[in-house]
């Protein structure tokens, strides 16, 4: 699960950086605001990569996905990108847990 979720979060951090560049050109929000909000979101993505196995990390990841979708009110394209990353987050969590269960079952059987 850690690998899948971390890959999603790193991709999301990169997307946020590129979206910030677009947001500066297309929205009426100030440059400092765009980079502050984007920087916090990117930092949260990177920090969450290291803490993904801790209790509550998946919930924080879901909050991040909701925040990304809500950022669509500032930059409308983020609605679509947020939904895509929320779907990737769900897949990473769901299939990551299944893979971890299979590995645990194999280890127990050996």
């Amino acid at each position: 699960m850690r690998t899948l979720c971390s890959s999603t979060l790193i991709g999301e951090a990169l997307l946020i950086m590129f979206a910030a560049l677009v947001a500066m050109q297309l929205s009426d929000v100030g440059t400092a605001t765009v980079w502050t909000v984007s920087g916090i979101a990117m930092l949260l993505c990177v920090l969450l990569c290291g803490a993904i196995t801790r209790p509550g990390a998946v919930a924080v990841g879901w909050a991040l996905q909701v925040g990304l979708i809500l950022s669509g009110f500032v930059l409308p394209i983020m609605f679509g990108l947020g939904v895509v990353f929320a779907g990737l987050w769900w897949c990473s969590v769901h299939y990551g847990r299944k893979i971890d269960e299979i590995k645990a079952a194999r280890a127990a059987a050996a």
Side-chain angles (χ1 to χ4, degrees):
M1 184 172 106
R2 183 178 182 151
T3 303
L4 290 174
C5 290
S6 294
S7 299
T8 299
L9 289 167
I10 294 300
E12 191 167 358
L14 291 171
L15 169 88
I16 292 169
M17 181 185 67
F18 292 128
L21 295 171
V22 173
M24 288 188 322
Q25 301 298 320
L26 297 179
S27 71
D28 296 331
V29 179
T31 302
T33 303
V34 169
W35 282 113
T36 300
V37 172
S38 298
I40 291 169
M42 288 185 290
L43 181 64
L44 186 57
C45 285
V46 172
L47 292 175
L48 199 53
C49 285
I52 201 64
T53 56
R54 294 181 184 252
V58 172
V60 172
W62 277 114
L64 180 66
Q65 305 314 314
V66 170
L68 188 63
I69 292 169
L70 292 177
S71 70
F73 288 111
V74 176
L75 186 63
I77 194 166
M78 292 306 289
F79 281 124
L81 294 173
V83 169
V84 167
F85 273 97
L88 286 171
W89 182 251
W90 178 84
C91 287
S92 297
V93 171
H94 179 72
Y95 292 114
R97 285 183 176 159
K98 286 196 177 282
I99 291 168
D100 288 348
E101 288 172 4
I102 291 169
K103 284 183 178 181
R106 286 184 182 169

